[in-house]
Amino acid sequence: MMLVEEAAPDAGALPVAALRGYLRLATGFEMATDAAEDAALAGFLRAAIATIEARTGKVLLRRAFRLRLEEWRDPARQPLPLAPVASVEAVEVTDAAGRVTATGPDAWRLVPDAQRPALVPSGGWLPSIPVNGFVTVRFTAGFGETWAGVPADLAQAAIMLAARYHEDRGDPQQSAAVPFAVGALLDRWRQVRTLAGRGGRA
């Protein structure tokens, strides 16, 4: 299985002002609002979002992903590794010679489960994957286009974690740790994630 993020979160959707306000409250000092500082804060937010998404399997800001599979976990139901999934745009089968065949949306459908969304066949089985070939599933996942669509506890966790990264930016080992308070906010969103291969778990 190979999962590729096709686009980073939109810079305009990042809660830079909210993070600046949180840091101001936490430190009691005014912060600069120049472009360089905003870019730095956006970087901390991106790192925090990536950490939270990796730990929970939940995508905070909506964007496109590409999933490559050498075999279906189950030809009757293929779990998708991220949630929530808003749509599946394409299912493409590539054979050993590199020829790509797009499978029409009449052959499959999305089951938009909040914890374990899945691709299922409209009837029978999902498209056959040839020997030495693979299938590519292109889909869009995320709670919303803007930060307002992110659940409150995940949004708070991202702000708190980005603030920690800002405070610990001179200490890489410290920055690698997730504070207990952030972990507590993430607990209800974490799940046992199913991989592509049969019976795989992580």
Side-chain angles (χ1 to χ4, degrees):
M1 180 185 79
M2 181 172 66
L3 179 66
V4 177
E5 179 181 335
E6 299 208 288
D10 181 27
L14 297 174
V16 172
L19 175 57
R20 187 188 302 110
Y22 182 89
L23 289 168
R24 183 179 298 136
L25 289 173
T27 63
F29 294 99
E30 291 294 316
M31 291 188 62
T33 58
D34 57 50
E37 182 65 28
D38 281 354
L41 295 180
F44 295 128
L45 283 165
R46 289 186 189 280
I49 289 169
T51 298
I52 289 169
E53 290 180 345
R55 283 177 171 258
T56 64
K58 304 298 184 294
V59 181
L60 275 61
L61 289 169
R62 190 167 296 173
R63 54 199 190 277
F65 294 86
R66 182 174 76 250
L67 175 66
R68 170 175 162 160
L69 301 165
E70 272 64 41
E71 63 175 349
W72 300 114
R73 178 177 176 80
D74 181 338
R77 184 182 184 87
Q78 173 61 50
L80 297 175
L82 300 172
V85 173
S87 61
V88 174
E89 281 69 48
V91 177
E92 301 164 340
V93 177
T94 303
D95 66 17
R99 291 183 292 264
V100 180
T101 302
T103 317
D106 57 334
W108 45 263
R109 63 185 178 86
L110 169 68
V111 178
D113 186 86
Q115 290 295 330
R116 189 63 52 79
L119 187 72
V120 300
S122 296
W125 308 103
L126 290 166
S128 176
I129 303 175
V131 175
N132 296 323
F134 59 90
V135 65
T136 302
V137 181
R138 301 179 188 276
F139 64 97
T140 300
F143 286 105
E145 302 283 352
T146 67
W147 197 248
V150 179
D153 48 358
L154 289 178
Q156 182 66 15
I159 295 292
M160 293 168 65
L161 188 55
R164 170 57 67 87
Y165 289 163
H166 177 273
E167 293 163 3
D168 296 337
R169 58 193 179 278
D171 185 350
Q173 288 187 335
Q174 188 67 21
S175 295
V178 172
F180 175 80
V182 173
L185 289 171
L186 301 182
D187 275 349
R188 82 179 186 92
W189 295 98
R190 298 185 68 178
Q191 63 177 4
V192 176
R193 299 177 64 187
T194 304
L195 301 181
R198 295 183 180 89
R201 286 194 175 286

